[in-house]
Amino acid sequence: MAESSAGRAFIGSFTTAGGRGITVAAVDGGTGALTPLGATDALADPSFLALSADATVLYAVGESEHGTAAAFDVTSDTPALLGAPVPVDGAAPTHLALFAGHLATANYTSGSVTTLPVRPDGRLGPAAYVLTHHGCGPDPERQRGPHAHQVLGDPSGRWLVSVDLGTDSVRVCALDPATGVLRPHGECALRPGSGPRHLAFHPDGRHAYVLNELAPTVVVCRWDAVRGVLEPLGETRVVQEGVTGRTYPSEPVVAPDGRFLWVANRGHDSIATLALDPDGERAALVATVDCGGHWPRDLTLDPSGRRLYAANERSGDVTWFDLYEESGIPRRAGSLAAPAASCVIFG
């Protein structure tokens, strides 16, 4: 017998491409199935979402030329804006993270990271600080300048890291919780032209995996949280040798027990399973399976660690997969129509 609802999922989607904005869905604990409960299009193009620790406030970035961020009360099944959307003073924010009492956004087009204070009631204050990246890469179309693509806190809570596709690097900063000021600490250079997009930390807190968008590879790194230093160890393909056509990897996900790394591949429209060695310092491609749609922009693990969910932007659906315990290989279990899906998170 299937279990009752195991909480809720929040689905972001591009309103300018026919998406519903932010959809709240119930999650069936037995099957993983998603059932829509409510939606709002109060923020244009909410491309990425983050949830407060108590799961009562949802934050989103509006990926537009004049980028914004917004807070929503999600204590009911239809998200309600907590104040007007706030400018991030950057263009096309693509990612966000809650860190040290602030919301940080990665602004792709302007190549910058913005911090906004989070007030006690969950509302956002005006931008406190904008850190502009500098540099470029060898790709004349995609790397003429910096393109901050992801921002997140490290597992120790000491550092805020940002992944920049345009400069082939990962930056490490300290954030002053009193002022929101970001202090650059260091920068990890990656292979020129690789175009890093997102990274995920290993549960041991000592390793990280940087996924490249302009090359179908992942870089295994050692992470020193005391010194705030990221050290590349090796690079592994996320599609098989001989695959034709361009592949644009989008999101890495690490298993809670550290045995596997999963990667969503756009173009190839697949989910790759990579086995990690016990030390977390080597990755080996095991298999790729169809993502269940077209252009998987995001990939996430449910709170149980037993299922993966792919947000397939161009086919307009969210597909979920059960995971084989021994091999880690995903097996398609169902899907939900979600036009122009951009991301899925759980709370």
Side-chain angles (χ1 to χ4, degrees), residues 1 5 10 19 42 53 55 71 82 93 99 132-133 202 269 271 283 293 314 333 342:
M1 179 180 295
S5 174
F10 301 90
L82 286 173
F99 186 79
T132 301
H133 294 178
H202 191 283
D269 288 344
I271 298 173
R314 295 185 181 176
S342 60

Side-chain angles (χ1 to χ4, degrees), residues 272-296:
T273 301
L274 293 92
L276 301 176
D277 77 331
D279 296 326
E281 298 200 341
R282 286 177 291 278
L285 180 62
V286 174
T288 58
V289 301
D290 192 281
C291 70
H294 181 32
W295 211 252

